[in-house]
Amino acid sequence: MKTFTSLPIWAALAGAALAAAQELVERKVLAMGTVLELSVWAETRAQALEASELALREVERVETCLSTWKPESELSRLNRTPVGEPFELSSDLERHLGRARHLWEWTEGAFDPGLGLLVQAWGLREGGRQPSQSELEQALAAGSMASLEVGGGRATRRSEMQLEEGAFGKGIGLDEACAVLERAGIRKAVLNLGGQVRFVGQADGWPYGVAHPLERGEIVLEVVSRGGSLATSGNSERGLVVGGERRSHILDPRKGTPAPDVGSMTVWARDATTADALSTALFVLGPERGLAWAARQDGLEALHLISSPQGLQATATPGLRGRIRGLVAELELTFLATPALATRE
Ligand code: FAD
Ligand code: MG
């Protein structure tokens, strides 16, 4: 074990505790149609392995509950329950739907997990298609979360609306897994699910890479973590091509159409479910409204990145000042001084 000489005793003890928790277990598994990477530190390898196993089980549990890619999942069964007929919810699903509803209300519908019929109409899971006007009108008429009644352990669809977990399910999986790690006494872990990262304990200072909006493989800046979670929404990985045109897989639920491709939106929040859903919502709101909205919220930061003929512009909320490292020369970074103005860094 390393000995600490010049540090004051409290730092030496803290450092020794951290040095003692230096057994690192790293794992990589497929989950939710993407890759889950776990890095877990503990005093012994056995403890870290056991804790990582608990975290994996939690992510699986969330996928079994929420995945509409699995016809037998609880959410798929809720989507198939006849309109007007109450569906008995597990306590997990009741909790997850409660969080999704709060985020839908908070973002005034820019994030809307009730857009399953729009996801189907635009063929988001089959590479994209142009829906007919009547399909679009039908999907919009089915409404959204507003057409789902939840209470007393039951959910009742009041229209043909379909729930879809794509913009919040990974966040829920990360939060549930990290809660289990904390209960197991883990004081440092980093979980990465499809590019979204959630930290446990002293994982401060971890560099979170943000990719070029058009080149998923090219990291152009890093955000230095301070706990919580970071998520990015954009089209570099899952964009669509409809009628030969690149379209976004992020839909504006209020209009029923793909949101304009505004580059990418990264959100830092204290929890992963919020970061996941809000990166999508702010993408839908667009950079101007999205960043100004984020700058007014407590415990939230956001960064917009766009590539244009003038180069690569990043605009961030003030709380990210000192936490962003540009990795390419052409990047220009500005911060919102107030919700309306930006000052050059
Ligand atoms: P985000 O911006 O976080 O989410 C965009 C996705 O959310 C879109 O793809 C759409 O599904 C939905 N969406 C679009 N606009 C909105 C909006 N305004 N409000 C709310 N939702 C919106 N993918 C597979 O290929 N195979 C699988 O088996 C599979 N299983 C999954 C299981 C679970 C539980 C979850 C959560 C996801 C699964 N996925 C699967 C989807 C994939 O993992 C990604 O979550 C998803 O495609 C996009 O995530 P993102 O972070 O890239 O984009
Ligand atoms: Mg997301």
Side-chain angles (χ1 to χ4, degrees), residues 46 69 81 85 107 112 115 144 163-164 167 198 235-236 239 280 302:
W69 297 73
T81 303
E85 190 180 301
T107 61
D112 181 354
L115 55 33
S144 62
L163 288 155
E164 212 264 9
R198 171 75 156 79
N235 292 305
S236 57
T280 311

Side-chain angles (χ1 to χ4, degrees), residues 77-87 117 142 147-148 155-162:
R77 287 183 286 116
L78 167 50
N79 276 339
R80 288 196 299 270
T81 303
V83 174
E85 190 180 301
F87 175 87
L117 289 181
S147 307
L148 182 79
T156 308
R157 292 187 308 132
R158 291 293 172 205
S159 78
E160 291 302 334
M161 64 84 76
Q162 291 286 288

Side-chain angles (χ1 to χ4, degrees), residues 31-34 62-63 66-69 109-113 115 119 124-125 164-170 194 232-234 237-238 249-253 276 279-280 284:
M32 299 188 185
T34 184
V62 170
E63 184 163 6
L66 286 182
S67 174
T68 56
W69 297 73
F111 158 77
D112 181 354
L115 55 33
V119 169
L124 257 57
R125 298 193 179 183
E164 212 264 9
E165 75 288 4
F168 73 98
K170 288 204 304 291
T232 298
S233 284
E237 191 181 339
R238 290 199 179 236
H249 73 118
I250 296 165
L251 303 175
D252 185 335
D276 194 3
S279 63
T280 311
V284 170

